[in-house]
Amino acid sequence: MRQLIVVLGTFILYSFSANSQKLSGIVIDEQGKGLDKTTISLLRTKDSSVIKFSTTGNDGKFSIEATQGRYLISASHIGYTTYYSSQFELNGELLLDPVTLKKIAKEMQGVTITAQKPIIEVKADKTILNVEGTINATGNDALELLRKSPGVLVDKDENLSLAGKNGVQVYIDGKPSPLSGTDLTNYLKSLQSSQIEAIEIITNPSAKYDAAGNAGIINIRLKKNKSFGTNGSVNAGYNIGIYGKYNGGLSLNHRNKSINVFGNYNYNHNLNENRFNLYRVQLDTIFDGRSKMVNKNNSHGFKTGLDYFVSKKSTLGVLINGNIAETNMANDGRTPITYKPTGVTDRLLDVNNRNQMDRTNLNFNLNYRYADTAGRELNLDADYGLFRLKSNQLQPNTYLNASGTTILNQFIYRFVAPTDIDIYTFKGDYEQYYKKGRLGVGFKTAFINTNNNFGRYNVTQLNPEVKQLDIPRSNHFDYTENVNALYVNYNKQLKGVMFQVGLRMENTNSRGDSYGLNGDGSINKGSKQTFERKYTDLFPSAALTFNKNPKNQWGLSYSRRIDRPAYQDLNPFEFKLDEYTFQKGNTLLRPQYTNIITLTNTYKFKLNTSLSYSHVSDVFTQLVDTTDKSKSFMTKRNLATQDVFALNISYPFMYKAYTAFVNLSGNYSHYKADFGGGNRTIDLDVFSFNIYMQHSVKLGKKKQWTAEASGWYNSPSIWQGTFESREMWTMDAGVQKQIFKGKGTFKVSVSDIFFSMKWKGESNFAGQKTVASGNWESRQLRTSLVWRFGNSQVKAARQRKDASEDEKKRTQGGGGIGQ
């Protein structure tokens, strides 16, 4: 609590320390008429870094507040040449001369524009972590970046939650990932920070987005070069904790007025160590397991594509990206088994697992975009994605006497589990001006086919390659899901108020077929168990923004969302994880639904506050239940209800060469469920909070050095409805130097300086007490070097169009995200 008070005090001090100055003006066309929706950028004189953005109102007027200093502004509007002002001193209130924009008469000559994005941007519906701009992202994978992102929590099983809710939908380049659980975790670990441009945390999606994801959407945007001419970059990195790790990559791009051809490739070699402890008390027996896991991962990531500018109104594109990874895992552990009444250890269980996993992900996209000067816009996307996952695990279980000198018994198993996932989607979005507002309609259809085979083999002690299929404990599971969606969305600016209303309809058809296997490993068609589900839901959304006073804007929004069960959670087959732990799917698992109301305020363009209430019905919860007296099995059930109140406050601070960002998020949750009374009930009240802080300062006469420190703190919380977790915190620091006349960047940083990222959780359910804890190779020295070559010019006319297209795709869903 003392730490929280100190941070809050610092936060309040920052809030009142900024000496705000006001800049205002008007943008007009050549006829003297005010130009609305013109983008105004306030740029620092020294390095042209972007300090703040604003847009003009219906009358063409704008105002910006910033600290005292020397600046210039740029004004950009589609179809007009970009305007750059002369330098000026901002000290008090300043009214600029009218800015006149001229229509583009011909293709502009190339102009070099140098601008730096802020590390973190907070917008009305999302928070953006610009990975390229932060030193402490060096050498991280996507999962570690999410762990460090404001408001995101990663639990002991590496599940994601946001604002106290566990239904997070992960997107890659605007496409929802079909992976979940361990498959998603392994994929995120194979994505390196050198491949990632930004991470968007979208907490208030409109009707244009998929309804899936009750906590919101996390979109990981991979890099794409937009410079004209031929250019590229080379990057390399080396990290060391317990083991050394290295990565490298190449990016190439060629662009002219007709085409843009781009591609990149990244290789990553990782060797990581994790520690995992599991203490269980069940009836009269204590299991005290401790294990060490070493993972060796080699991954190849690539992305290539072509944009063909058919005309000024039309663009046709094709995109291919993928990730190929090979992981070898060694898990060595020992579990003393003790008789609780006497405290005497009866025997030991040694487990020496070896698992070889191969993952291939390929995605193919064909897209078309039409946009005219009347505001009509059409986006069409056709996608095919494939995932091929293979797992070959050897699991020896050796029982020894209490002293560990004599083998009592030994059971050796081999698990072979290939999974194939194929995804087909087609979607369309259309927008136009209507009744002085913006009307949007669209559709999407998606088919997901999943084939999962699980073969458990008994292995002889003499030769692990000689194996016999254990038919009762082997399984094949086919799962298909078809989701069809239609939506309509409308927004309009009234006097002092903007409103947006939307309605999305989604029709879901799913089917699961579970089979046994024959002795030769073929599918036993006569053993089929089938379940089917068909349902149609409506998902309304609405938002009001009170913007009469731009320096003090309020917003109120509502939306309804859904989370469908993952295919692994529906398979009724019982998987054996070790001699005393099983995992089983639940065919009765229902979707969870969430209704969310959010109140937001933006004060003086800096202080952002949001307060939300969510009611979640049929919450997914992973329960550790009991079977055969001393054994446990994990399954997912629907908790009765969850109510969540969440508060988020963020504030950016800037003074000369120093910048800082502070984000405080807290939530109160109430869980309640009854699975038969007695010790099978859940009634929990939980308050938890998260603090994220980032500080950076530019050093040297030419400001070529940048130092950065960042950290976060997570208070005790609840994982998956039953595990009570303890607090976690971390601190990173690093420096960056511009070299090779600005063509190169060298970064060095240390993650988790105090080695404080150690997790622990405790559960007491159905007569079983469970305490889990662990840590990983979180403290590392990380280095990276990037060298950029070729033409770095970005033509202003095309840049404005690209920026407009990208922002529409990110905020409205064109190009895949707003499905």
Side-chain angles (χ1 to χ4, degrees), residues 8 160 351 385 388 741:
L8 285 175
L160 301 173
V351 177
R388 300 293 181 259
K741 297 182 179 180

Side-chain angles (χ1 to χ4, degrees), residues 198-246:
I199 294 175
E200 299 174 335
I201 303 169
I202 305 169
T203 54
N204 186 30
S206 70
K208 208 167 187 182
Y209 290 83
D210 273 2
N214 87 82
I217 293 169
I218 295 177
N219 181 40
I220 300 174
R221 292 204 328 256
L222 303 180
K223 291 181 179 178
K224 178 181 176 181
N225 197 320
K226 298 184 179 70
S227 297
F228 268 66
T230 302
N231 50 77
S233 65
V234 178
N235 67 82
Y238 180 80
N239 311 336
I240 187 166
I242 299 174
Y243 304 103
K245 316 135 201 329
Y246 51 86

Side-chain angles (χ1 to χ4, degrees), residues 694-749:
Q694 184 133 7
H695 307 266
S696 65
V697 59
K698 291 186 177 296
L699 306 170
K701 291 183 179 180
K702 295 183 179 180
K703 305 300 182 186
Q704 291 182 331
W705 286 88
T706 303
E708 181 181 295
S710 61
W712 54 262
Y713 171 85
N714 287 333
S715 73
S717 183
I718 292 292
W719 296 333
Q720 297 290 308
T722 60
F723 266 88
E724 299 181 39
S725 71
R726 76 174 187 183
E727 66 182 10
M728 282 182 66
W729 64 279
T730 189
M731 180 68 69
D732 303 341
V735 294
Q736 169 183 294
K737 173 72 165 63
Q738 297 296 324
I739 57 178
F740 304 144
K741 297 182 179 180
K743 292 285 188 177
T745 304
F746 177 73
K747 299 179 182 179
V748 59
S749 66

Side-chain angles (χ1 to χ4, degrees), residues 557-718:
S557 64
Y558 163 80
S559 65
R560 181 175 188 254
R561 303 192 64 75
I562 185 176
D563 283 293
R564 300 175 181 87
Y567 73 91
Q568 303 100 318
D569 298 329
L570 295 170
N571 188 356
F573 183 71
E574 187 176 275
F575 298 91
K576 185 173 185 176
L577 302 180
D578 59 40
E579 283 292 283
Y580 287 91
T581 310
F582 300 82
Q583 184 172 328
K584 186 178 181 179
N586 178 11
T587 59
L588 300 178
L589 194 64
R590 302 180 299 274
Q592 64 180 20
Y593 294 90
T594 304
N595 289 278
I596 311 167
I597 299 175
T598 304
L599 176 67
T600 61
N601 175 256
T602 301
Y603 182 67
K604 290 189 175 182
F605 308 102
K606 286 190 174 183
L607 181 62
N608 293 277
T609 307
S610 67
L611 177 65
S612 66
Y613 165 72
S614 303
H615 176 76
V616 189
S617 59
D618 290 331
V619 182
F620 297 152
T621 301
Q622 182 169 286
L623 297 179
V624 181
D625 215 332
T626 57
T627 183
D628 295 337
K629 294 185 178 180
S630 63
K631 298 180 180 180
S632 66
F633 73 88
M634 296 183 293
T635 188
K636 282 198 175 178
R637 302 281 297 273
N638 292 103
L639 262 171
T641 59
Q642 179 188 10
D643 293 286
V644 183
F645 293 88
L647 174 68
N648 191 86
I649 302 172
S650 65
Y651 185 78
F653 173 78
M654 179 177 293
Y655 179 73
K656 295 184 177 179
Y658 170 73
T659 60
F661 177 83
V662 181
N663 190 92
L664 171 65
S665 58
N667 65 82
Y668 163 80
S669 299
H670 178 71
Y671 301 83
K672 188 173 183 180
D674 187 345
F675 295 116
N679 59 13
R680 301 178 63 82
T681 62
I682 297 174
D683 193 348
L684 294 173
D685 292 281
V686 181
F687 170 74
S688 62
F689 63 90
N690 166 277
I691 301 169
Y692 178 89
M693 302 183 73
Q694 184 133 7
H695 307 266
S696 65
V697 59
K698 291 186 177 296
L699 306 170
K701 291 183 179 180
K702 295 183 179 180
K703 305 300 182 186
Q704 291 182 331
W705 286 88
T706 303
E708 181 181 295
S710 61
W712 54 262
Y713 171 85
N714 287 333
S715 73
S717 183
I718 292 292

